[in-house]
Amino acid sequence: MEELRSAAAAGESMRFRQQSHALGSGASNIGARGLSELCRTGQQMRTAEIAARGPSHIRRLEAEFERVRQALAPYRTGQTARPGEAGGGKPR
């Protein structure tokens, strides 16, 4: 996210698009569709759009990233089942 913010602030549209692509690829690999779609939107932004809407777009990306991070938290702690499912307990 810092790279996206930096690129938007510097008016570096190519870097903004590249970072959007990189984040979107990772999101797509883990099935985070909402985050992936937001990244795709960032990839398609023109330079003027990045200057005008970049910061608000990044805030939406950050919010979605946090939602995904929280959804994946039980799996990052080594838990393989969701709480309430067989083998799942409270998140550690």
Side-chain angles (χ1 to χ4, degrees), residues 1 4 19-43 57-72:
M1 292 298 171
L4 281 168
Q19 292 300 315
S20 292
H21 176 76
L23 181 59
S25 294
S28 182
N29 284 338
I30 62 169
R33 291 184 196 167
L35 185 57
S36 179
E37 287 298 320
L38 283 170
C39 290
R40 186 170 297 119
T41 298
Q43 290 175 57
H57 184 73
I58 292 168
R59 284 191 296 275
R60 290 192 347 235
L61 279 168
E62 289 172 327
E64 183 63 13
F65 182 86
E66 181 60 22
R67 190 191 71 73
V68 170
R69 189 187 70 75
Q70 288 179 9
L72 295 176

